[in-house]
Amino acid sequence: MIAYLKIAGIVIAALLLQMTLLPRYLLDPFQPNLIIILVVYLGLKLPHRFAGVAVFALGLLQDSFSGIYLGLHAFSYLCIYTLLSELADRLYTDNRALFVLVVFVATIMSALLNLVLLLVFSVGNGLYASLLPALLPQALINALVASLVSGVRLPVEEAR
C-alpha cells in the first residue's frame, strides 16, 4: 500500500510541476512534458491492468488544464501506451538509451496524432503552423529529461 502511495506522490508531483511551476519559468517549446515520460515508463516497464486507465486519466487531466479539446491527449497517450505495452515483451526495457529514444519518438508521435485529430475534428486552419515548429525542441527536451530520470524505479515495478 505504501508503494502505491509513493507512486501517487510521484505522479502528483510531476503533474504539479508540469501544470504550475514549469510554465511560469520556461518558454513553451522548452517545457518538458513529464506526463508523456510517465506514459512511456508505464508502457515499457509497468504494463499493469490498470495502467491503461491511469494513462487515459493522465491525458484527461492534461486536457482539462491545457484548455484544448477534452480527450485529445487522452486518446493519443492511450494509443502510445497500447503500442508500447505490446512491444515491451519484445524489447529489453531496462536499457536507458532505449527509454530515451522511445520518449523522443513518443513525443513526436503524440504531436502528430494530436495534429491528425485536430485536422479531422477541428475547423481551424493553420494548425500545423503552431505544432510543427515546436515539435523537435519539445522532443529533445523530453529526451533530455528522460535521460535524467531514467534510473528512477517505481516501487511496484514488476520483474520481467
Side-chain angles (χ1 to χ4, degrees), residues 40 44-45 91-106 142-144 146-151:
V40 170
L44 285 180
K45 296 188 178 184
L91 299 173
Y92 179 63
T93 57
D94 288 336
N95 191 354
R96 289 182 178 187
L98 175 73
F99 182 70
V100 172
L101 179 69
V102 170
V103 166
F104 181 81
V105 171
N142 284 348
L144 175 68
S147 69
L148 295 175
V149 299
S150 63

Side-chain angles (χ1 to χ4, degrees), residues 50-131:
F50 296 119
V53 176
V55 164
F56 191 75
L58 285 173
L60 282 178
L61 196 61
Q62 184 174 2
D63 286 337
S64 66
F65 282 107
S66 66
I68 55 177
Y69 299 108
L70 189 65
L72 183 68
H73 286 101
F75 180 75
S76 64
Y77 289 167
L78 192 60
C79 289
I80 290 169
Y81 170 77
T82 304
L83 178 69
L84 290 178
S85 64
E86 291 296 321
L87 287 176
D89 291 334
R90 295 172 182 84
L91 299 173
Y92 179 63
T93 57
D94 288 336
N95 191 354
R96 289 182 178 187
L98 175 73
F99 182 70
V100 172
L101 179 69
V102 170
V103 166
F104 181 81
V105 171
T107 303
I108 292 175
M109 187 175 149
S110 172
L112 292 178
L113 270 171
N114 288 344
L115 179 66
V116 167
L117 289 173
L118 285 173
L119 287 175
V120 169
F121 295 114
S122 180
V123 245
N125 294 332
L127 293 171
Y128 60 89
S130 64
L131 283 177

Side-chain angles (χ1 to χ4, degrees), residues 25-60:
Y25 295 110
L26 298 174
L27 295 175
D28 190 28
F30 302 109
Q31 296 174 13
N33 189 348
L34 302 174
I35 294 176
I36 201 157
I37 295 172
L38 283 171
V39 168
V40 170
Y41 188 86
L42 288 173
L44 285 180
K45 296 188 178 184
L46 198 66
H48 194 264
R49 58 184 168 194
F50 296 119
V53 176
V55 164
F56 191 75
L58 285 173
L60 282 178

Side-chain angles (χ1 to χ4, degrees), residues 7-17:
I7 291 174
I10 291 171
V11 169
I12 289 171
L15 287 172
L16 285 175
L17 268 174

